[in-house]
């Protein structure tokens, strides 16, 4: 059974601070996605990483995929209240692109 | 809007009743997935279809659950004899595979409450 561990589970910060969220597994991902989910809504895809060592940027969000493709991080610079939400990492452990295994999520609150 | 849609958004039912949810995927996507998410947890995979064929089912999908995608377009998920433990958000996603990026795009979900 492949497991994804996300840390921290909860994060409450002030507007303007930086933060990093981590996603780890003992198994190798073929690809990994990061999603953001707001209460009562479905997850919204932020980014997909595939290549070990890959770094992708989406405005103030920086996503990094570990060299061994077992871990990933999401860094937010100068967080804003609009960044508040549940951040989920989800991995695919084969190349068939079928099921995603999700981490438990990091619930982020950014206070103005 | 050409995203994934789900209906209904909310369903309240009494224990023992049957419920059915519908999912309409992104029109050109051939794969459709069902996930379940309980409060405070990440989504858990239930099953997926490629076109009309159901290719994989999780052990979470008990015999009270059945999913169909008869024409390879929309899908339905039925839960028979609902139990309080079935209360959750049921999420549908779609993707284009093979040949696409396998990225899964989610609908807004159906929130089920069993009383």
């Amino acid at each position: 059974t492949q497991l994804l561990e996300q840390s921290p589970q909860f994060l409450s910060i002030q507007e303007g601070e930086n933060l990093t969220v981590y996603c780890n597994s003992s198994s190798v991902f073929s690809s990994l996605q990061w999603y953001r989910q707001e209460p009562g809504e479905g997850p919204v895809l932020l980014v997909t990483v595939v290549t070990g060592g890959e770094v992708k940027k989406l405005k103030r969000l920086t996503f990094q995929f570990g060299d061994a493709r077992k871990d990933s991080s999401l860094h937010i610079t100068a967080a804003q209240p609009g960044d508040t939400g549940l951040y989920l990492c989800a991995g695919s452990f084969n190349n068939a692109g079928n099921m995603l295994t999700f981490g438990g999520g990091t619930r982020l609150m950014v206070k103005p | 809007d050409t995203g994934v849609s789900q209906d209904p958004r909310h369903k309240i039912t009494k224990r023992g009743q049957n419920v059915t949810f519908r999912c309409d995927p992104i029109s050109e996507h051939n794969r459709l997935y069902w996930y379940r998410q309980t409060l405070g947890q990440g989504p858990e995979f239930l099953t997926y279809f490629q076109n009309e064929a159901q290719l994989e089912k999780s052990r979470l999908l008990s015999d009270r659950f059945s999913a169909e995608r008869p024409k390879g377009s929309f899908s339905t998920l039925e839960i028979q004899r609902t139990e309080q433990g079935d209360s959750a958000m049921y999420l549908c996603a779609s993707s284009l595979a093979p040949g696409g990026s396998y990225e899964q795009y989610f609908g807004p979900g159906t929130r089920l409450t069993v009383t």
Side-chain angles (χ1 to χ4, degrees):
Chain A
T1 303
Q2 294 99 351
L3 292 175
L4 281 182
E5 303 269 347
Q6 278 190 249
S7 61
Q9 284 186 292
F10 302 97
L11 196 53
S12 179
I13 61 172
Q14 293 296 132
E15 182 175 2
E17 293 183 6
N18 301 333
L19 67 115
T20 303
V21 173
Y22 299 94
C23 177
N24 294 283
S25 174
S26 57
S27 300
V28 175
F29 301 110
S30 58
S31 68
L32 185 137
Q33 285 86 45
W34 283 93
Y35 291 84
R36 189 174 88 185
Q37 186 177 26
E38 307 215 9
E41 299 294 331
V44 174
L45 181 65
L46 296 174
V47 79
T48 299
V49 286
V50 177
T51 306
E54 185 174 5
V55 177
K56 284 192 173 180
K57 292 193 174 186
L58 185 66
K59 296 183 182 178
R60 293 175 294 100
L61 278 60
T62 301
F63 304 86
Q64 191 158 5
F65 202 15
D67 291 340
R69 291 189 289 134
K70 291 185 176 182
D71 58 273
S72 181
S73 64
L74 158 59
H75 182 78
I76 302 179
T77 303
Q80 298 176 0
D83 296 327
T84 293
L86 179 67
Y87 289 82
L88 294 159
C89 66
S92 179
F93 292 95
N94 57 43
N95 290 319
N98 41 28
M99 61 176 283
L100 288 177
T101 299
F102 280 83
T106 293
R107 190 163 297 283
L108 173 65
M109 176 173 289
V110 182
K111 300 174 186 175
Chain B
D1 184 20
T2 56
V4 178
S5 62
Q6 292 188 244
D7 182 70
R9 293 292 310 274
H10 303 275
K11 178 71 177 178
I12 299 173
T13 190
K14 292 184 188 296
R15 189 176 55 188
Q17 298 293 305
N18 300 342
V19 294
T20 300
F21 311 140
R22 176 179 169 126
C23 171
D24 287 86
I26 294 171
S27 58
E28 63 269 24
H29 283 182
N30 57 347
R31 283 196 176 180
L32 187 149
Y33 310 79
W34 286 99
Y35 291 83
R36 182 172 70 185
Q37 185 177 26
T38 53
L39 210 58
Q41 304 294 321
E44 294 175 293
F45 171 78
L46 292 178
T47 187
Y48 91 97
F49 294 82
Q50 178 152 321
N51 301 313
E52 64 275 9
Q54 189 173 15
L55 296 187
E56 192 166 345
K57 291 195 287 187
S58 161
R59 286 174 295 174
L60 291 175
L61 211 66
S62 77
D63 56 7
R64 296 184 298 106
F65 287 68
S66 62
E68 294 183 343
R69 196 183 182 198
K71 297 182 180 179
S73 56
F74 74 90
S75 175
T76 58
L77 177 68
E78 181 183 17
I79 309 175
Q80 296 183 325
R81 305 180 304 280
T82 53
E83 301 172 355
Q84 287 188 319
D86 297 331
S87 294
M89 174 80 95
Y90 289 84
L91 294 163
C92 175
S94 69
S95 73
L96 181 63
S101 65
Y102 297 115
E103 289 176 334
Q104 296 184 23
Y105 295 88
F106 283 81
T110 294
R111 167 75 64 190
L112 173 66
T113 302
V114 181
T115 61

